[in-house]
Amino acid sequence: MSAHLGAAATAHLVRSGKRSARSFAEEAIAAAKGAGRELLAVTQVLEARALAQADRVDALVAAGGDPGPLAGVPFGVKDLFDVAGLPTTAGAGMLRDAPPATADAEAIARFEAAGAVLVATLNMDEFAYGFATINAAFGTTRNPHDRARIAGGSSGGSAAAVAAGLVPLSLGSDTNGSIRVPAALCGIWGMKPTHGGLPMQGVYPFVDSFDDIGPFATSVADLELAWRALGGQAGPAREAPRVARLGGWFARNICAELAAGIDGIAAALGGIDTVELPDVAAARSAAFLMTAAEGGARHLPELRRRAMAFDPQVRDRLIAGAMLPASAYFAAQDFRARFRHAAEALFERYDVLIAPAAGEVAPRIDDPMITVDGQRVPARAHLGIFTQPLSFIGLPVIAAPLRRAEGLPLGVQLVARPGGEATLFALAATLEARGVFGLHG
């Protein structure tokens, strides 16, 4: 299957005429209808559209043309990207009958311009408000490595689809960690760009202050290929980047296996400093507050009109956010400026910071809890303890899967200053080549 080959290898076979885009599309469609439905990762299979796009790619190859760097690569999108002719549900059952989108999201258009083939829409937390893809309308997405466990969220369907081999690439969105958490729990690569670095046109909004889109992939090379197809740009990679690990907040509440994995990264780099960001707990709290306030304000008209149509857990959080005073929101914004300044001071000394993505392996569906400071707390709200403080100030992050001989997936974050994506890709590729990072399973 193309998913096992990866995106670059699939595109090479199609562009060289050795395999047809239609054959790869047919495989992905069958997988989406089979394992995709079983995992509750897929919400809609776009069979007719996918085959038509694949045939266009094959026709271009037959005519001697070049369809692009993603020629014939099947992909799926989180169910908050506009797909022409379909309602954009954003994971909400109440939007199943919404008017259909009149055009594709810009990210889909760019992928298809590069030759990719859209196969399916993928499950998510309702309105992207959660870290677990526990969805009252569309079901709970299963983790391909253990179907009794969650896939993470809110882009859980997008991560599970790649991890299960349904497609080589998928697109998700990340507000507080919604790409990085499921990438870690599913053992694949994911990316949140510099805030505003990739096109958001045609993506159902949640929190404008933090929302970004990004790809999932099975290798760092494919991740970069997807990022560039989306229009990602950065300055040159820094040679011999200065790397440190984040301690303090980022060294607590992590399992022993993850701590050992981060030690292994440090050893592979010949030893690195440990540094701390100040006031991380306050940054996470401020991110929570701004998320709740903006999300609550966005959905307030519908909450007033038909509150009972919302997922109860999402509804209650949105109502609480809508009731927050403006003064609290403005105080959080003021703090964000100070926290950004503290991060900038660290990036004067280091080019890449390493942090956990999620502190432990994926929780069980029948017990969706994690341990934070000795207390059992809901995963749906708390899996982002290490991701929220970083997207709070718009930093670019690659979520990298630790290569493990056994056990369930674990992942880390590679973090750079805004615009530092090229340095992240270079370091990730180095550590992948040294066997530190790699697709789980």
Side-chain angles (χ1 to χ4, degrees):
M1 289 179 62
S2 60
H4 298 132
L5 288 171
T10 296
H12 173 73
L13 290 174
V14 171
R15 294 167 78 188
S16 65
K18 293 179 180 178
R19 273 199 64 178
S20 68
R22 174 174 268 264
S23 70
F24 283 123
E26 289 172 340
E27 285 184 352
I29 290 164
K33 289 180 176 179
R37 298 290 197 196
E38 294 165 10
L39 291 167
L40 298 178
V42 171
T43 52
Q44 293 193 75
V45 180
L46 310 177
E47 182 170 3
R49 174 181 171 136
L51 294 177
Q53 170 68 358
D55 287 344
R56 286 193 289 270
V57 170
D58 288 333
L60 186 55
V61 171
D66 183 357
L70 297 179
V73 175
F75 73 104
V77 296
K78 186 175 182 175
D79 208 358
L80 48 53
F81 287 79
D82 285 352
V83 177
L86 300 178
T88 305
T89 71
M94 62 192 285
L95 295 184
R96 279 190 173 114
D97 298 324
T102 57
D104 291 333
E106 176 64 19
I108 293 175
R110 292 188 184 187
F111 254 32
E112 290 198 337
V117 176
L118 179 61
V119 170
T121 59
L122 305 168
N123 201 9
M124 58 182 286
D125 286 284
E126 181 174 283
F127 295 123
Y129 207 172
F131 291 110
T133 312
I134 297 172
N135 188 296
F138 298 100
T140 297
T141 297
R142 269 58 176 164
N143 192 309
H145 298 281
D146 181 348
R147 295 189 181 191
R149 296 177 183 270
I150 66 170
S154 63
S155 307
S158 297
V162 172
L166 309 182
V167 288
L169 297 175
S170 67
L171 296 178
S173 69
D174 189 306
T175 301
N176 287 303
S178 289
I179 288 174
R180 292 162 286 161
V181 168
L185 298 188
C186 290
I188 59 172
W189 294 85
M191 183 185 190
K192 189 211 85 67
T194 299
H195 183 57
L198 293 178
M200 293 296 296
Q201 299 95 314
V203 179
Y204 197 100
F206 177 30
V207 180
D208 290 338
S209 293
F210 310 138
D211 287 350
D212 284 301
I213 64 162
F216 293 90
T218 58
S219 70
V220 67
D222 282 357
L223 193 74
E224 184 172 8
L225 183 66
W227 174 71
R228 292 194 182 280
L230 291 168
Q233 299 179 5
R238 182 183 176 95
E239 294 185 13
R242 301 163 298 173
V243 182
R245 63 196 293 180
L246 286 173
W249 174 273
F250 295 94
R252 301 195 301 271
N253 296 307
I254 63 174
C255 66
E257 293 82 2
L258 181 55
I262 296 175
D263 287 343
I265 298 170
L269 294 172
I272 57 177
D273 294 341
T274 298
V275 297
E276 290 194 32
L277 265 173
D279 301 320
V280 180
R284 181 176 177 240
S285 295
F288 253 130
L289 190 151
M290 290 180 66
T291 296
E294 290 191 34
R298 184 178 303 282
H299 292 283
L300 186 57
E302 285 297 282
L303 287 166
R304 286 172 169 159
R305 191 170 75 88
R306 49 173 180 164
M308 300 310 292
F310 286 77
D311 177 327
Q313 293 192 61
V314 172
R315 179 190 63 225
D316 293 349
R317 296 173 75 190
L318 290 173
I319 290 172
M323 296 173 66
L324 287 167
S327 59
Y329 181 82
F330 293 134
Q333 282 191 317
D334 289 342
F335 174 77
R336 182 165 62 155
R338 297 195 300 274
F339 188 66
R340 182 181 288 117
H341 181 73
E344 288 170 351
L346 270 185
F347 284 119
E348 290 297 316
R349 298 162 51 201
Y350 302 100
D351 303 298
V352 179
L353 303 175
I354 298 173
E360 55 190 81
V361 300
R364 290 182 58 86
I365 292 171
D366 60 7
D367 183 28
M369 308 286 282
I370 62 171
T371 301
V372 176
D373 294 335
Q375 303 295 316
R376 297 289 285 168
V377 297
R380 188 169 187 166
H382 293 279
L383 268 169
I385 60 171
F386 302 121
T387 55
Q388 275 182 291
L390 303 174
S391 43
F392 179 55
I393 50 175
L395 302 176
V397 185
I398 287 178
L402 287 173
R403 188 180 294 280
R404 304 185 68 205
E406 57 186 17
L408 292 167
L410 293 166
V412 300
Q413 299 179 89
L414 304 181
V415 190
R417 60 171 54 85
E421 282 90 339
T423 297
L424 291 181
F425 280 118
L427 180 62
T430 296
L431 291 170
E432 184 182 45
R434 293 180 184 176
V436 177
F437 297 149
L439 188 67
H440 189 87

